[in-house]
Amino acid sequence: MESLPLYPVYSVDFLGSFLMLLLSLGAFRYSLELKRHFPQSVLFMYLFGLSSAFVALSISRSIGHMLRFIFIYAGVPHWWQDLAPVSGSLNSICFVSVAVLTFVYPSVRKIIHRVRADAEQLKRAKEELEAANLKLQELYHTLEEKVEQRTRELLASEQKFRRLFENSGEVIFFCDAGGRISDINPSGVKLLGFSRKEEIIGRPMRDFFADEDSWRRYVETLCKKGFIKDFEARLRSHDGGERYVIITANTIEGEEGCKRGYEGIAKDITNYRKMTEKLIYSEKMASLGQLAAGVAHEINTPLGIILGYAQLLKKEFKDHPELAEELAIIESQAEVCKKIVSDLLSFARSSENIRGKKFINLNDCVIQTVDMIRHTFEMDDIDLKLHLDPELPEIYADDDRIRQVILNLLNNSRDAIGKGGEIHIWTFVSGEQVIIEIGDTGCGIPPEIKDRIFDPFFTTKPPRQGTGLGLSVSYGIIEDHGGTIEVYSPPKEEKHLKYGLKTVFVIRLPLGSHA
Amino acid sequence: MQRILITLFIFFLEVSKVWAVQVHGPPEGFYSHILAHILFTISILFILYFSRRHPMGAGKAWLYFRISLILFLLWNLDTMMVHFLDLRLPEEALYLSPNPFEHKLYGPLTFERWVYYIGRFDHLICVPAMWFMVQSLRTFYREFKEQKVRN
Ligand SMILES: Nc1ncnc2c1ncn2[C@@H]1O[C@H](COP(=O)(O)OP(=O)(O)O)[C@@H](O)[C@H]1O
Ligand SMILES: [Mg+2]
């Protein structure tokens, strides 16, 4: 065998290039699908490029291996001559394309990877940001809720303390560092006699202290100890009255320990004090009564003897005028003594139990007493005006002694008036009490002696005129009847002021008392 | 790299002497064609190396793809070899009458001519190469489509 036929080669080429054409088209189809489904994949893009190049290659090769024979058989072999270089060039171009694609692919892939990574990072950052934002929002929400709850709690607490402050019966006050009142509750406003707290705020607290000395002590203790407990003080109220209070206060410390002011509670003890004073007073009266009774009893007998002998001697020395005159002085002085003693005795008796009590009409007592003295009073130009309640219920009392009380008071009024004036008497019922008020247009009672007029032997009158026992005896009698006697000078009520009264005594007796 | 370039240069010098008889005609055509072949070879080696360095998957598709690439590489080497042997073949070794069915390769049938003759059956390599390429793409297509459906 000296030669090899080439037709097997040609037929394999022919068939092969045909198969290549088919297969490359198949590859192209798949790569196209892949590219279409996954447009973001670089690999598929590359594979698509590769397949396209292979299609081109297959076509160009098929020209070389298939068209040649077809042309030759068709009798146009020179056509092949023209197409051959095209086929060759196309082959080369395809190879180059494949090569270029392949070289470029990793770089593109790298770039795309980097871009993707960047995008991913960006996305992650964005997600993180969103998450953070969400968290922040949540936090904000919970914060809002918390704030709301705190506010509610605070409000409740504030209301609680506000109620305590506003409705407390005790005075609650706050002062600044300068000792000026910065806040005070309604009880305090009332105690100090104001109507609005704005009138008090800003005023120095010392203005309300009745005496300088107790203010100084108060401030000193407070500054030294930082607090003060149960401090008794007398406060001056707006209307001139006086109130007794016990103050408990403490300083408010600032951040650096400096004093920012103080806060305190003051308790009004005026009524309590008055009551205790009255109690002490009645105790005093009782012991004094006993003493007076003892003394009076002891003196009464020798005094009677002195008086008896004086009268006896006066009769015997009728014809000795000088002697008789001197004896008359002894007699009259002994008489005065006897009157004092009898007064004393009746005062003393007032604290004993009363025997002669019965149901009486107070109006009758008043009228009987007034009838008795009207004549003498008219001589001094004193008008007696009665405002008696005709439907006054009866009270259980000793009428003699009640008459004595009325008489004592009327006498005092006459003494206070001197000449020319009016005396008014009221009787009426108020609740469970029958009240008798006796007022006059006299000189009035100076405040400094107001506390002492009920004391036995307290008098402002010259010795022959007053014994100082009238009011204390009356006090004892009214007390025995379970009543009270009070003095108003000047009076407060309109009906008293209307007549220009200066002093009004008010007696309250219990209705139907069997005491 | 330098050595490769020098070898190529010497090779081209030699080729230029016999260009007149070649299928690919004028020397530029032949040069560019051979260069294209070389580029193609290098690119395939490159992508094979690259896919080894950065494995993009262990699936069947990749296996097919790599087999296809290796077959293409072999095919490429084969065609290049044939081109060279073609050059070395004296003109009278081939009987190319107008009727292609009478075309013959004359003897003496040396080893080189046998190699040339067998090398001419290059489609026996490139068709399987292309077939593996199609398989690879098809597998890719299926795998990704399934993945997409699952997602
Ligand atoms: N109506 C009155 N107006 C002014 N002063 C009065 C009045 N009643 C009592 N007083 C004062 O009270 C004092 C005590 O009175 P009282 O106990 O009756 O004693 P006396 O009348 O003997 O002085 C009187 O000295 C007088 O200063
Ligand atoms: Mg009197």
Side-chain angles (χ1 to χ4, degrees):
Chain A
M1 205 182 179
E2 276 308 299
S3 64
L4 291 169
L6 283 179
Y7 67 86
V9 175
Y10 292 157
S11 31
V12 167
D13 278 349
F14 190 91
L15 206 73
S17 53
F18 177 68
L19 281 174
M20 276 297 277
L21 204 58
L22 286 183
L23 285 171
S24 66
L25 281 172
F28 179 77
R29 208 201 86 195
Y30 280 122
S31 67
L32 187 71
E33 285 290 304
L34 277 169
K35 194 182 92 147
R36 205 186 294 149
H37 277 94
F38 310 96
Q40 70 275 60
S41 165
V42 191
L43 173 68
F44 295 153
M45 218 129 69
Y46 164 66
L47 288 178
F48 174 74
L50 212 62
S51 308
S52 311
F54 278 128
V55 170
L57 187 69
S58 303
I59 291 170
S60 95
R61 282 180 71 89
S62 70
I63 294 171
H65 295 301
M66 288 167 73
L67 281 185
R68 180 149 68 135
F69 294 98
I70 293 164
F71 287 161
I72 286 168
Y73 274 101
V76 278
H78 57 273
W79 282 14
W80 155 242
Q81 301 288 317
D82 296 337
L83 268 176
V86 177
S87 158
S89 309
L90 209 60
N91 276 359
S92 308
I93 287 168
C94 287
F95 287 143
V96 172
S97 312
V98 169
V100 167
L101 269 172
T102 307
F103 287 133
V104 167
Y105 162 65
S107 314
V108 172
R109 185 168 160 266
K110 212 157 147 193
I111 289 164
I112 297 264
H113 261 292
R114 202 162 293 163
V115 168
R116 287 243 175 89
D118 282 356
E120 192 64 32
Q121 216 169 344
L122 223 73
K123 202 174 136 199
R124 223 174 305 128
K126 193 184 151 228
E127 274 170 6
E128 265 167 33
L129 214 72
E130 268 173 3
N133 186 34
L134 212 72
K135 228 183 201 167
L136 211 72
Q137 230 167 345
E138 235 168 65
L139 212 71
Y140 178 72
H141 263 291
T142 46
L143 202 73
E144 222 175 36
E145 232 166 66
K146 260 188 198 154
V147 166
E148 222 169 78
Q149 187 174 340
R150 283 283 151 79
T151 314
R152 242 182 285 127
E153 280 169 11
L154 215 71
L155 202 77
S157 157
E158 211 273 339
Q159 273 174 351
K160 199 163 68 191
F161 286 107
R162 174 61 53 185
R163 263 203 303 279
L164 194 71
F165 180 74
E166 295 289 341
N167 303 336
S168 168
E170 317 295 358
V171 178
I172 301 173
F173 62 92
F174 298 88
C175 281
D176 59 16
R180 275 181 293 274
I181 292 172
S182 56
D183 201 2
I184 189 161
N185 69 343
S187 294
V189 175
K190 211 173 113 199
L191 180 97
L192 294 176
F194 288 90
S195 51
R196 290 182 321 122
K197 81 169 169 195
E198 283 73 22
E199 293 171 295
I200 303 177
I201 286 173
R203 288 182 57 171
M205 182 135 178
R206 85 184 288 166
D207 279 9
F208 299 106
F209 271 68
D211 45 55
E212 197 71 13
D213 198 46
S214 85
W215 163 255
R216 214 166 312 117
R217 255 185 306 132
Y218 168 72
V219 171
E220 265 168 25
T221 323
L222 202 55
C223 285
K224 218 181 291 162
K225 288 205 214 155
F227 69 91
I228 193 162
K229 205 167 182 306
D230 295 338
F231 179 78
E232 270 197 62
R234 206 150 46 91
L235 298 185
R236 227 196 329 255
S237 70
H238 187 54
D239 47 29
E242 278 179 349
R243 314 293 297 184
Y244 289 92
V245 290
I246 37 177
I247 302 176
T248 297
N250 56 281
T251 52
I252 308 165
E253 303 274 315
E255 282 95 86
E256 299 93 32
C258 69
K259 295 187 170 53
R260 284 198 305 167
Y262 50 90
E263 59 203 359
I265 295 177
K267 192 175 167 66
D268 185 3
I269 53 157
T270 312
N271 291 337
Y272 168 76
R273 225 185 128 106
K274 271 199 181 146
M275 239 161 66
T276 39
E277 265 171 16
K278 247 185 206 162
L279 211 72
I280 291 166
Y281 194 74
S282 51
E283 284 291 312
K284 196 166 93 185
M285 291 299 236
S287 53
L288 257 172
Q290 273 175 349
L291 182 74
V295 172
H297 198 73
E298 294 299 324
I299 290 175
N300 212 19
T301 322
L303 205 59
I305 294 165
I306 291 169
L307 199 60
Y309 277 100
Q311 282 166 351
L312 205 76
L313 281 173
K314 210 172 87 183
K315 256 182 219 154
E316 269 182 38
F317 290 99
K318 245 187 226 153
D319 20 324
H320 294 80
E322 317 105 67
L323 258 173
E325 210 170 297
E326 279 160 15
L327 283 166
I329 293 171
I330 294 177
E331 190 199 352
S332 76
Q333 289 307 308
E335 216 57 87
V336 170
C337 284
K338 213 173 153 69
K339 184 174 184 304
I340 292 173
V341 166
S342 94
D343 272 355
L344 256 180
L345 276 175
S346 75
F347 166 68
R349 253 208 314 279
S350 72
S351 43
E352 287 164 16
N353 267 338
I354 300 150
R355 295 157 301 269
K357 272 191 181 176
K358 57 185 185 241
F359 280 99
I360 56 154
N361 190 335
L362 199 62
N363 283 347
D364 292 345
C365 287
V366 172
I367 290 162
Q368 284 159 16
T369 317
V370 166
D371 282 346
M372 200 166 75
I373 49 104
R374 191 183 286 279
H375 181 66
T376 45
F377 275 46
E378 270 168 7
M379 288 201 331
D380 284 332
D381 207 10
I382 295 170
D383 258 355
L384 279 156
K385 300 245 160 75
L386 305 186
H387 314 269
L388 304 181
D389 184 352
E391 268 143 46
L392 206 63
E394 291 192 326
I395 56 162
Y396 188 71
D398 181 342
D399 57 344
D400 275 343
R401 285 150 64 78
I402 294 292
R403 269 198 295 272
Q404 197 195 330
V405 170
I406 297 168
L407 186 68
N408 281 348
L409 295 179
L410 288 175
N411 277 334
N412 281 351
S413 291
R414 188 201 48 205
D415 291 344
I417 290 167
K419 280 212 170 355
E422 286 178 7
I423 297 175
H424 293 258
I425 304 174
W426 285 267
T427 60
F428 57 93
V429 191
S430 168
E432 288 289 289
Q433 289 172 322
V434 173
I435 295 170
I436 172 168
E437 293 175 346
I438 298 176
D440 63 68
T441 58
C443 57
I445 305 172
E448 57 270 20
I449 65 160
K450 220 190 276 178
D451 287 344
R452 298 161 60 199
I453 56 170
F454 291 101
D455 287 359
F457 307 114
F458 177 81
T459 180
T460 55
K461 293 164 197 170
R464 293 293 297 272
Q465 234 185 75
T467 58
L469 283 167
L471 282 180
S472 53
V473 166
S474 307
Y475 184 92
I477 292 167
I478 299 302
E479 190 115 292
D480 274 341
H481 283 79
T484 60
I485 178 166
E486 283 175 301
V487 65
Y488 295 92
S489 182
K492 290 202 173 77
E493 282 183 52
E494 183 51 40
K495 73 174 179 190
H496 300 145
L497 292 168
K498 190 168 67 181
Y499 296 111
L501 302 182
K502 294 290 188 296
T503 311
V504 176
F505 281 87
V506 179
I507 297 167
R508 295 165 204 273
L509 290 165
L511 251 180
S513 161
H514 293 263
Chain B
M1 194 69 193
Q2 235 170 354
R3 208 178 298 158
I4 297 170
L5 282 176
I6 292 165
T7 320
L8 277 176
F9 185 70
I10 294 166
F11 160 73
F12 283 129
L13 277 182
E14 209 173 310
V15 165
S16 58
K17 286 183 268 175
V18 283
W19 61 269
V21 290
Q22 292 321 302
V23 184
H24 290 293
E28 301 97 285
F30 179 78
Y31 286 172
S32 49
H33 187 72
I34 290 298
L35 275 173
H37 266 296
I38 291 167
L39 258 176
F40 187 71
T41 311
I42 293 170
S43 76
I44 285 175
L45 284 170
F46 173 76
I47 192 76
L48 272 171
Y49 166 77
F50 182 80
S51 67
R52 237 191 131 72
R53 270 284 299 270
H54 309 276
M56 288 167 268
K60 254 192 183 138
W62 281 105
L63 182 69
Y64 292 148
F65 186 66
R66 289 170 71 87
I67 292 173
S68 162
L69 283 181
I70 289 166
L71 287 174
F72 269 121
L73 181 69
L74 289 176
W75 170 75
N76 204 35
L77 291 173
D78 176 68
T79 46
M80 267 163 69
M81 181 190 73
V82 169
H83 281 313
F84 285 122
L85 291 177
D86 208 22
L87 276 181
R88 287 169 60 92
L89 217 60
E91 210 176 331
E92 62 275 4
L94 288 170
Y95 171 69
L96 301 170
S97 75
N99 181 3
F101 284 98
E102 289 168 3
H103 286 187
K104 273 191 189 94
L105 173 69
Y106 287 129
L109 292 176
T110 55
F111 173 72
E112 194 182 297
R113 287 196 188 179
W114 269 110
V115 172
Y116 171 75
Y117 185 76
I118 292 165
R120 284 290 297 265
F121 291 97
D122 61 311
H123 276 103
L124 293 180
I125 308 175
C126 77
V127 170
M130 204 64 214
W131 186 82
F132 275 112
M133 180 64 76
V134 174
Q135 287 311 306
S136 164
L137 283 168
R138 206 172 68 137
T139 319
F140 267 134
Y141 181 67
R142 281 208 192 129
E143 278 175 7
F144 279 86
K145 200 148 193 198
E146 262 171 42
Q147 215 171 49
K148 204 172 180 181
V149 166
R150 228 179 297 137
N151 286 355

